[in-house]
Each structure stands twice: as structure tokens, then as C-alpha cells.
Amino acid sequence: MKVIDLSEKNLAVVLLSGGLDSCVTMAMAMQEHSVALLHVGYGQRTQTREYNSFRSIARFYNIPETRILTVELDFLRKIGGSSLTDRNIPVDKGDKDSTNISIPTSYVPFRNTHLLSIAVSWAETINAESIYIGAVQQDSTDYPDCRSEYYKAYNKLVDVGTKPSTNIKVITPLLDMSRSEIVKKGIEIGAPLQLSWSCYERNDKACGRCQSCRLRLNAFKEAGVKDKLDYI
């Protein structure tokens, strides 16, 4: 049983997948809050590497084990419907036509709702005031649960679905930023970007070909910064 000092003020739960966006989100949250970290595995292809990145980032910031919660949602793998959880579905490559707004195969149906539900339950238990998630509006044409409308609706749900004394807000500090701006912000505030993991396909070295790798590589290029991640 993990014990958190419930008298601690200004506590925020940060959803830390181990990815670039969540890494920068955590660094931003730490500028204003004491943080508790939530990591959720859901049977994705790169779950092992994402977990290792999560742990590395947590160690970088010296987050105590009493403020770390890791959870596995095997039912998302069983439900499938995504190339991240079903190895029979090919992972999208980064050459998708930008005019094509169809949902990519990497979309995990309603995933963020499941993750945020866990975060809200934990936040209410430990008296956290905020939940930080690294959603990016730029992804909204691809991922429905990255839209600003979604987070406005979710905050209404949190308001009506928790104790009257609870005042939890879901915060999305990256929502209106471009990917190159996220890289620049991470560097500005000292986020350990080199410890983060973005590849959807591999656990050893990043493939450099999947949609997530391409977005990351382009972001670093536009920011004028070298990505220190190893690619095949």
C-alpha cells in the first residue's frame, strides 16, 4: 500500500507514458506542482520500452516510489482494433497524405478516457488538484480524444462524477503547441528528451519509419535540434 501525505498541497497527477509529449508535460507540471506519476500499460507493442522510459524519467526527477502508480489494462489488448495492440494490423508509416483525415490504425479506441478515469480515481483518493496529460491538438484530426472539445467535456464529467468537495481539473499544457514548439519547450525547461520513447513498432532502436517516429524526427528538425534517440 503506497502512502502519500494527503496534507501535501498543490499535488498533480501526471500521466507519464514515457513518450516525448508526456516527458515535456511532466517537466512543465513540476514547475508548478508536486507530482505523482501514473503509468498505464495496455498491451501495446512497445510497452516494455515505454515502461523503461517512464522509469528513467521518474529517476531523473527523483520521484519517490510512494508517488508512483503503474497499472496494466489488458482488456484494451483483448478488445484490439488498433495496430498498437493487435500485431495483425500493420503500423501506419509516416507517409500518410496530410489531406487525408481518416483515423490511423494506431488509434486505440477511447484510450484516453480509460487512462484519465484511472487518473481521476487516484487524484480523488490522494487529494490531487490537477491531472496533466500530454495531448496535442495538432493530432486532433487523427485522434478524436486529443481535441479541445473532448477535454472540455471530460472536465465537466469530472465535476459531476466526483465528490462535491473535489476540485480536480484535467490540464493539457501542450494542446495548442506545434511539435517543434514542444521540443523547444522541453529543451528550455530541461526535460530529459533523450530518455523518452516515441516509436510505435520497436523496443530496441526506433524504427524511424512509423508515423510517430516521423513526427518526432520532423519536430526536432524544425526545432533545429539533434534528436539523441537511437534509430535503426
Side-chain angles (χ1 to χ4, degrees):
M1 179 73 175
K2 295 182 179 183
V3 179
I4 293 180
D5 183 359
L6 299 182
S7 66
E8 187 170 5
K9 302 297 183 182
N10 205 26
L11 182 64
V13 171
V14 179
L15 280 158
L16 181 62
S17 67
L20 175 67
D21 298 336
S22 69
C23 178
V24 177
T25 297
M26 177 181 174
M28 294 175 74
M30 289 198 65
Q31 293 183 310
E32 300 182 28
H33 303 272
S34 298
V35 304
L37 300 183
L38 172 62
H39 177 80
V40 183
Y42 50 92
Q44 67 271 39
R45 290 173 186 254
T46 56
Q47 181 171 331
T48 300
R49 184 57 185 262
E50 288 180 32
Y51 176 79
N52 290 341
S53 291
F54 156 74
R55 280 293 178 182
S56 296
I57 296 167
R59 284 194 297 270
F60 180 88
Y61 285 109
N62 296 313
I63 306 300
E65 285 295 319
T66 54
R67 284 197 269 134
I68 293 176
L69 177 64
T70 59
V71 179
E72 291 197 16
L73 300 180
D74 189 53
F75 66 82
L76 286 178
R77 178 187 61 80
K78 292 179 179 179
I79 289 171
S82 168
S83 60
L84 300 192
T85 56
D86 185 344
R87 292 182 179 274
N88 293 316
I89 302 176
V91 175
D92 282 315
K93 301 302 185 246
D95 54 359
K96 190 179 72 165
D97 184 350
S98 61
T99 62
N100 182 356
I101 61 172
S102 62
I103 304 300
T105 66
S106 54
Y107 167 66
V108 179
F110 220 41
R111 179 191 64 183
N112 285 355
T113 308
H114 295 288
L115 308 189
L116 285 168
S117 294
I118 299 169
V120 172
S121 294
W122 194 34
E124 190 168 24
T125 301
I126 64 176
N127 294 336
E129 301 172 358
S130 309
I131 296 169
Y132 278 71
I133 185 171
V136 181
Q137 177 88 344
Q138 194 177 64
D139 293 340
S140 63
T141 55
D142 292 341
Y143 301 102
D145 51 5
C146 286
R147 295 176 296 175
S148 59
E149 300 96 315
Y150 170 86
Y151 290 98
K152 289 176 183 177
Y154 202 94
N155 269 320
K156 289 181 180 179
L157 176 63
V158 173
D159 186 48
V160 301
T162 54
K163 294 180 297 185
S165 59
T166 301
N167 186 29
I168 300 169
K169 297 297 180 186
V170 177
I171 298 175
T172 54
L174 309 184
L175 196 67
D176 297 320
M177 297 172 67
S178 70
R179 295 212 160 271
S180 60
E181 289 173 336
I182 293 170
V183 170
K184 290 177 181 177
K185 183 65 176 181
I187 293 170
E188 174 191 334
I189 60 179
L193 305 185
Q194 74 281 3
L195 300 179
S196 66
W197 189 254
S198 300
C199 185
Y200 283 160
E201 201 158 21
R202 299 176 64 97
N203 285 283
D204 50 0
K205 291 186 177 182
C207 73
R209 300 186 304 269
C210 70
Q211 184 186 26
S212 185
C213 278
R214 294 288 185 91
L215 287 171
R216 177 179 177 128
L217 286 167
N218 287 338
F220 274 87
K221 182 178 180 181
E222 290 175 7
V225 180
K226 179 178 173 55
D227 185 3
K228 296 180 180 179
L229 201 64
D230 286 334
Y231 291 86
I232 59 172

